[in-house]
Amino acid sequence: MTIKRTLVANRGEIAVRVIRAAHALGIEAVQVVSAADRDSEAARMADHVVVIGPAPSKQSYLNAGLIVHAAKQTGCDALHPGYGFLSERAELANLCAENGITFVGPAAETIGALGDKLRSRAIAAEAGVPLVPGTDKIASITAAHKAAEKLGYPVLMKASAGGGGRGMFVARNADAITASFDAASTEAQEAFGDGTLYMERYVENARHVEVQAVGDGKGRVVHFGERDCSVQRRYQKVIEEAPCALMPAKLRGELHEAACKLLSSMKYLNAGTVEFLYDVDRQAIYFIEVNTRIQVEHPVSEQVTGFDLVQTQFRIAGGEPALPRQDQVKVGRHAIECRINAEDAAKNFMPSPGRITRWSPPRGAGIRVDSHCHDGYLVPPYYDSMIAKLIVTADDRPSCVERLQRALANFEVEGLTTNIPLLRYIVAQQDFAENRFHTKWLEQSVLPAFQQEHV
């Protein structure tokens, strides 16, 4: 391993995950923390800790110059960005390159090209990857009306510069476009610094599937199977699983081929995820976007393939020939991940920061919990509400669902409110057990009943 010391430019469970992977490879870890995270689990585990600023993210975890300065001052020869924060900002990768620090991720040019959703659609089209019928950028409500008439309602307006549901809305008629266009553009401007919107045809009965892949930067790309991330709320994933049990084998093969073809065309380096919309009625797949980082839900891919993806990221960044042959990646068993959040689902998902007085995650065969929490941990109010990921693995999906139900029943957290009651409710639904849902199922069918019963 050529990397000797890495800076971990993130917090929470992913910082803990990255430190464990680094240590397993003999790499020292330097953890940057805000003032609110001085006593975090990552700070306890790291070999060195640097306080980079006050609690607000803009003054700490989102300050690229400060983070790279910390990496230089502590003698780091690599930097792992985790997910969120600066992980998909080309600026951070550029600063690393300028300062002789290995960025554990794709090249800055790749991040920049794929971070622009319109450019990434053009790249996918050039690579022959199927796209949802859509438009180029749309500058006005009038232009949006004309484009929607041509595509046919319903349509989906999306932000060009980012994802995660920001600047996005479904319009079923012209009035809906008129009502939401300016607000969506403003939201995109505030979130990404670019208010440009574009339009796609809206697929009603859709699954959100994505392919985990890793490239060597020379054109060779290996995939690690697909994930089904269709249980969502406001375009935010709640439950993810691997593989997508609903998808026929032939279409699954086409999905993997399309993802690898796209990344290979860019000589993609390190880990990335190619996201697709799976139109169940038409048995078709359409490209959505590429996430140029490790994903929150990467553990389910690790569980079904047996590969440690974060260690693979370090090995690739360190110049090792770490990619396996494609025929060495076997997808076996089934894995499901639930995101445990400190929020009250019965009160419109109100954040619930505070001190954890009792932390008792489930244990046993086929159960993995990725978290930074412990008895007495103070969940700060400044950051994302996710406090853990529960991942269960079993021989097949029905067995996995049963194991997940038992694991959630045994997951106890006291001192603050979590979304565990909602997760228990979701996995108890017959539709979930029988794999009958789509990307709007949670919002349309489950949440109204849950909130009625729990208010």
Side-chain angles (χ1 to χ4, degrees):
M1 172 56 65
T2 58
I3 296 173
K4 302 301 181 190
R5 179 179 292 180
T6 187
L7 187 112
V8 182
N10 216 292
R11 65 173 304 280
E13 73 83 21
I14 189 60
V16 170
R17 174 77 183 88
V18 171
I19 292 170
R20 284 186 176 139
H23 284 171
L25 295 171
I27 301 171
E28 285 189 12
V30 177
Q31 177 66 47
V32 290
V33 296
S34 72
D37 285 334
R38 287 173 185 269
D39 192 34
S40 64
E41 185 68 11
R44 296 179 183 184
M45 292 172 59
D47 301 284
H48 307 279
V49 179
V50 180
V51 180
I52 54 170
S57 300
K58 285 184 179 178
Q59 299 173 54
S60 51
Y61 299 108
L62 288 174
N63 189 328
L66 199 57
I67 285 174
V68 173
H69 178 72
K72 282 188 66 179
Q73 292 303 309
T74 52
C76 290
D77 52 6
L79 182 151
H80 195 299
Y83 52 69
F85 292 126
L86 296 168
S87 61
E88 291 186 282
R89 302 278 183 90
E91 175 193 10
L92 182 62
N94 262 327
L95 281 173
C96 285
E98 289 169 8
N99 287 278
I101 296 168
T102 299
F103 182 73
V104 184
E109 297 76 18
T110 305
I111 296 173
L114 293 173
D116 182 322
K117 305 310 176 190
L118 286 172
R119 283 180 69 189
S120 69
R121 276 176 63 89
I123 292 167
E126 193 171 330
V129 174
L131 302 174
V132 182
T135 69
D136 202 338
K137 62 183 177 183
I138 293 178
S140 67
I141 293 174
T142 302
H145 287 164
K146 290 180 181 175
E149 288 297 329
K150 190 173 179 182
L151 275 178
Y153 286 102
V155 296
L156 181 64
M157 295 297 309
K158 302 175 74 172
S160 168
R166 302 283 184 87
M168 185 183 297
F169 69 93
V170 176
R172 298 186 181 279
N173 51 50
D175 289 344
I177 290 177
T178 303
S180 300
F181 187 93
D182 288 341
S185 179
T186 300
E187 184 181 23
Q189 178 68 38
E190 291 176 352
F192 313 118
D194 182 348
T196 302
L197 303 180
Y198 67 104
M199 181 184 292
E200 290 180 349
R201 178 187 293 162
Y202 180 66
V203 178
E204 297 274 7
N205 186 16
R207 291 279 185 126
H208 180 126
V209 296
E210 59 188 31
V211 179
Q212 175 68 63
V214 181
D216 67 357
K218 300 172 184 174
R220 193 163 89 83
V221 174
V222 173
H223 73 79
F224 294 80
E226 80 285 352
R227 300 185 284 255
D228 184 340
C229 309
S230 302
V231 180
Q232 304 179 352
R233 171 182 170 265
R234 295 183 179 177
Y235 305 104
Q236 297 291 323
K237 300 161 188 171
V238 177
I239 296 176
E240 303 101 341
E241 55 187 284
C244 176
L246 185 70
M247 184 173 281
K250 181 174 181 297
L251 190 59
R252 177 179 290 116
E254 294 172 9
L255 178 81
H256 296 164
E257 183 181 356
C260 291
K261 189 163 62 174
L262 170 56
L263 297 186
S264 180
S265 72
M266 300 191 73
K267 292 184 169 52
Y268 191 91
L269 177 65
N270 218 283
T273 301
V274 188
E275 299 194 339
F276 293 86
L277 204 61
Y278 172 22
D279 186 333
V280 178
D281 294 336
R282 293 183 174 88
Q283 286 298 301
I285 53 169
Y286 304 115
F287 169 79
I288 301 175
E289 64 183 11
V290 178
N291 289 313
T292 53
R293 53 175 164 75
I294 197 74
Q295 295 273 85
V296 174
E297 58 271 24
H298 76 273
V300 293
S301 298
E302 294 183 326
Q303 292 300 116
V304 300
T305 63
F307 284 87
D308 186 311
L309 293 170
V310 181
Q311 287 190 30
T312 301
Q313 283 192 288
F314 276 118
R315 288 196 170 106
I316 292 285
E320 290 187 9
L323 275 188
R325 297 193 314 271
Q326 187 62 67
D327 62 3
Q328 292 176 313
V329 182
K330 307 291 186 187
V331 177
R333 311 188 79 195
H334 197 92
I336 306 177
E337 174 183 289
C338 291
R339 301 187 185 198
I340 311 296
N341 298 331
E343 62 188 16
D344 190 342
K347 295 182 180 176
N348 198 28
F349 295 87
M350 184 171 66
S352 177
R355 193 170 298 282
I356 295 175
T357 56
R358 183 163 182 266
W359 176 257
S360 180
R363 294 180 174 82
I367 294 175
R368 166 179 168 180
V369 177
D370 285 12
S371 178
H372 56 293
C373 294
H374 50 78
D375 286 342
Y377 176 67
L378 180 64
V379 177
Y382 311 104
Y383 313 111
D384 184 89
S385 62
M386 192 177 75
I387 57 174
K389 301 183 303 197
L390 168 64
I391 307 105
V392 298
T393 309
D395 288 340
D396 50 43
R397 191 175 188 278
S399 304
C400 199
V401 172
E402 290 179 9
R403 179 166 286 171
L404 177 60
Q405 291 170 341
R406 291 195 297 273
L408 282 168
N410 293 322
F411 206 137
E412 297 179 22
V413 183
E414 296 177 4
L416 44 70
T417 303
T418 74
N419 66 336
I420 291 175
L422 172 62
L423 295 170
R424 290 172 181 156
Y425 192 84
I426 293 170
V427 303
Q429 300 300 308
Q430 196 68 24
D431 283 345
F432 182 80
E434 297 179 358
N435 204 12
R436 296 194 308 253
F437 51 83
H438 50 74
T439 53
K440 290 297 179 186
W441 171 75
L442 177 59
E443 291 175 295
Q444 294 174 350
S445 303
V446 180
L447 281 180
F450 173 82
Q451 291 176 332
Q452 189 172 22
E453 290 181 23
H454 289 76
V455 171

